[in-house]
């Protein structure tokens, strides 16, 4: 039976990202946005990995907080399950998503631990096992039947600019987002909050922010997003709420997938080698169908041989 169908607009559960450096106002902005979306504080819950910072804004309304210390992908998914199974909430704030990558028990720690206990200490095999955990985490909140607002830390730096008096002065700016590369692609809307608490748009599927340069993140923005999300037909009712998967071991066979090709590329970068199309084809064909351990050994030896040839 053909899976082709006519395009149709349906109600959508919003997935919104708020990026910014420390002190830019991500938590407060997320709460205002959540209230604008639902109009009821009792329908808002915030997963707090930021040392109880969510409680600082309790004066705004009676929202719920779920403190989270285990910021591994499995720890987050356990929290997601508790929230979804309660059936009490319309908006889930994840404050912060960055800890899933760089926090206690997060992806970087998982990969480092795997690498340190492997025979070769090689990062390729480590990331081939850690990345599926991250992908499960991503898939879980993306498919969840609830509006999601995720805050994302950004690394900061200073630039020298002229102030309004014509003198040079340092200004703190945000640089790279603290999350695994590619995570930001999945949001419907991705906003960046500057140190003066004004938003700029990095990604927008809604067209609500066309032409907007800098704006305050208020409840009105949430109301506009809710109106956009409710356009079209309601989704059919189905009991397809995602549940957190068990921590089963990922497949141990190296397969021809984009994710595995990216891991090969990362390994070449770590070895300070240039990955040509010819080299990629050669090593990839040798690795396909092998166990991850054998594939890792093949990659390590291939890079070692290539490095020796370059240095000859």
């Amino acid at each position: 039976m053909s899976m082709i169908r006519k395009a149709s607009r349906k109600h959508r559960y919003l997935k919104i990202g708020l990026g910014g450096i420390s002190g830019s106002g991500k938590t407060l902005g997320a709460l205002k946005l959540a209230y604008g979306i639902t109009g009821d504080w009792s329908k808002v819950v915030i997963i707090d990995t930021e040392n109880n910072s969510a409680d600082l804004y309790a004066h705004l309304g009676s929202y719920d907080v779920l403190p989270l210390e285990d910021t591994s992908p499995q720890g987050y998914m356990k929290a997601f399950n508790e929230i979804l199974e309660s059936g009490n909430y319309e908006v889930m704030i994840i404050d912060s998503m960055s800890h899933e990558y760089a926090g206690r028990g997060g992806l970087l720690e998982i990969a480092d631990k795997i690498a340190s206990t492997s025979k070769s200490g090689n990062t390729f095999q480590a990331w081939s096992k850690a990345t599926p955990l991250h992908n499960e985490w991503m898939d879980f909140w993306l498919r969840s039947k609830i509006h999601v607002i995720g805050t994302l830390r950004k690394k900061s730096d200073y630039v020298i600019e002229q102030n309004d008096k014509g003198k040079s002065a340092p200004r703190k700016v945000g640089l790279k987002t603290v999350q695994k590369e590619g995570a930001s692609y999945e949001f419907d809307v991705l906003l960046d909050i500057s140190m003066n608490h004004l938003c700029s748009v990095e990604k927008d599927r809604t067209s609500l922010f066309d032409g907007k340069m800098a704006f305050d993140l208020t409840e009105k923005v949430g109301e506009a997003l809710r109106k956009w999300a409710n356009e079209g037909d309601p989704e059919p009712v189905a009991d397809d709420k995602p549940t957190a998967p068990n921590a089963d071991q990922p497949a141990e066979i190296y397969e021809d997938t984009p994710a595995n090709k990216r891991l090969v590329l990362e390994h070449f970068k770590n070895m300070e080698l240039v990955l040509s199309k010819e080299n990629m084809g050669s090593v990839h064909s040798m690795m396909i169908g092998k166990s991850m351990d054998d594939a890792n050994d093949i990659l390590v030896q291939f890079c070692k041989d290539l490095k020796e040839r370059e240095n000859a």
Side-chain angles (χ1 to χ4, degrees):
M1 180 182 295
S2 174
M3 299 297 290
I4 300 173
R5 61 171 177 79
K6 291 292 184 183
S8 63
R9 185 70 164 82
K10 293 182 172 61
H11 290 191
R12 185 171 182 85
Y13 291 97
L14 295 161
K15 311 302 176 189
I16 302 168
L18 302 180
I21 59 179
S22 177
S24 58
K26 297 185 294 296
T27 305
L28 178 58
L31 286 165
K32 289 181 177 180
L33 201 58
Y35 182 70
I37 291 170
T38 184
D40 183 349
W41 283 114
S42 69
K43 298 295 183 182
V44 176
V45 61
I46 180 168
I47 297 174
D48 186 356
T49 68
E50 298 277 7
N51 298 312
N52 300 318
S53 65
D55 293 312
L56 298 175
Y57 307 102
H59 60 281
L60 293 176
S62 185
Y63 55 87
D64 288 343
V65 179
L66 195 165
L68 185 63
E69 294 186 3
D70 177 8
T71 57
S72 66
Q74 298 95 325
Y76 274 93
M77 289 189 288
K78 183 178 179 181
F80 296 164
N81 257 343
E82 182 176 346
I83 289 169
L84 293 172
E85 288 175 357
S86 74
N88 295 331
Y89 306 104
E90 295 177 5
V91 183
M92 175 174 68
I93 300 172
I94 307 171
D95 188 36
S96 156
M97 285 184 166
S98 292
H99 286 105
E100 183 269 345
Y101 181 68
R104 182 186 304 170
L107 211 63
L108 289 177
E109 282 193 5
I110 292 171
D112 286 344
K113 185 176 180 179
I114 295 172
S116 66
T117 56
S118 67
K119 295 178 181 179
S120 64
N122 184 265
T123 58
F124 168 76
Q125 184 182 16
W127 279 103
S128 72
K129 293 184 177 181
T131 297
L133 301 176
H134 171 77
N135 292 342
E136 289 173 350
W137 173 80
M138 288 283 295
D139 187 58
F140 191 93
W141 62 262
L142 283 170
R143 293 192 302 112
S144 297
K145 304 297 185 181
I146 190 172
H147 300 300
V148 175
I149 303 171
T151 67
L152 296 157
R153 289 182 173 186
K154 284 196 170 185
K155 295 179 180 179
S156 61
D157 200 354
Y158 287 88
V159 295
I160 304 299
E161 295 180 339
Q162 282 193 340
N163 58 23
D164 54 2
K165 297 180 180 179
K167 295 183 178 181
S168 296
R171 182 170 67 89
K172 195 174 184 182
V173 295
L175 300 176
K176 187 176 180 181
T177 299
V178 182
Q179 239 304 330
K180 195 173 189 303
E181 186 176 357
S184 60
Y185 300 156
E186 305 297 337
F187 293 105
D188 295 316
V189 175
L190 181 59
L191 305 176
D192 180 70
I193 308 178
S194 65
M195 280 303 292
N196 60 3
H197 311 307
L198 293 177
C199 284
S200 58
V201 180
E202 292 192 13
K203 176 184 178 182
D204 176 25
R205 290 173 172 169
T206 69
S207 300
L208 294 174
F209 304 99
D210 287 354
K212 288 194 175 184
M213 299 298 293
F215 56 93
D216 290 317
L217 195 56
T218 66
E219 292 86 348
K220 293 292 185 183
V221 178
E223 291 173 8
L225 285 166
R226 177 184 61 195
K227 183 178 178 181
W228 177 85
N230 288 339
E231 290 177 359
D233 300 323
E235 286 191 346
V237 177
D239 187 19
D240 58 351
K241 180 177 66 177
T243 55
N246 296 323
D248 296 328
Q249 291 294 325
E252 291 297 323
I253 299 298
Y254 182 90
E255 298 176 347
D256 184 7
T257 66
N260 281 339
K261 288 180 179 178
R262 285 195 297 270
L263 291 170
V264 172
L265 177 59
E266 288 175 8
H267 182 71
F268 267 74
K269 287 181 178 179
N270 291 336
M271 294 289 291
E272 297 182 349
L273 292 167
V274 177
L275 181 59
S276 67
K277 186 175 181 180
E278 180 182 359
N279 287 336
M280 180 64 186
S282 297
V283 70
H284 192 57
S285 62
M286 289 188 290
M287 295 166 69
I288 290 176
K290 301 293 194 298
S291 69
M292 292 304 299
D293 287 340
D294 290 343
N296 177 67
D297 291 341
I298 291 170
L299 178 62
V300 170
Q301 188 61 49
F302 186 91
C303 290
K304 182 180 178 180
D305 294 342
L306 187 60
K307 192 81 170 178
E308 290 177 353
R309 289 197 298 270
E310 287 186 355
N311 294 332

